Amino acid sequence: MFTDTQPGCANIVRHRRLLPFDPAAGPPPRDNALPLLTLPPERLLTGLVAEHVHAQLCRAALHAFAAENEAHMESMSAAHSQIERQLRKLEATRRQVRQEEITAEIIELAAGETVSAKQEVLF
């Protein structure tokens, strides 16, 4: 059992039966000619089955590795998006605080002008 990834889709769990060996699961032969054999048929079949099981286990391990890497990439992408959202909020807060400081300075300057104008009138 392993997961298979499809672009734009969720992970799909795949089940492959290793034993008993199913010769129909492989690709069809290209022609009807029998293969040349230099090994006894039992030894050849044992070796082929062992290689087939090994290849299927390696395939499942590679799919698991790919699924793990994809999960890491998705979590890093989500973390990156969260950081960008937080940064936008902090920048908006910084702009608002700066605007409030500028407004306070303008009010102080205007209040200072008003006070000095009144003092000039009194003298």
Side-chain angles (χ1 to χ4, degrees):
M1 177 169 32
F2 60 92
T3 59
D4 193 8
T5 58
Q6 300 293 329
C9 298
N11 290 339
I12 301 167
V13 177
R14 302 272 187 201
H15 299 273
R16 300 249 190 235
R17 192 175 70 197
L18 294 177
L19 296 173
F21 179 69
D22 181 14
R30 287 186 259 167
D31 57 18
N32 291 334
L34 293 175
L36 298 175
L37 301 176
T38 57
L39 294 174
E42 296 82 23
R43 186 172 170 197
L44 177 64
L45 185 60
T46 302
L48 287 175
V49 169
E51 289 294 324
H52 173 73
V53 169
H54 181 261
Q56 292 300 316
L57 290 174
C58 287
R59 180 180 183 187
L62 287 174
H63 279 285
F65 183 69
E68 181 182 359
N69 283 342
E70 185 176 349
H72 284 287
M73 292 298 289
E74 287 175 3
S75 65
M76 286 191 296
S77 177
H80 181 72
S81 298
Q82 176 63 26
I83 289 170
E84 285 182 341
R85 283 192 299 272
Q86 186 67 26
L87 183 60
R88 283 193 298 269
K89 287 179 186 177
L90 290 172
E91 287 176 348
T93 302
R94 181 187 60 83
R95 285 191 300 271
Q96 182 180 2
V97 167
R98 180 65 183 138
Q99 185 62 44
E100 289 171 358
E101 289 174 353
I102 291 170
T103 303
E105 287 178 18
I106 291 172
I107 290 172
E108 286 177 16
L109 289 173
E113 283 294 318
T114 305
V115 169
S116 57
K118 285 182 182 180
Q119 287 177 352
E120 288 176 9
V121 170
L122 291 176
F123 291 117

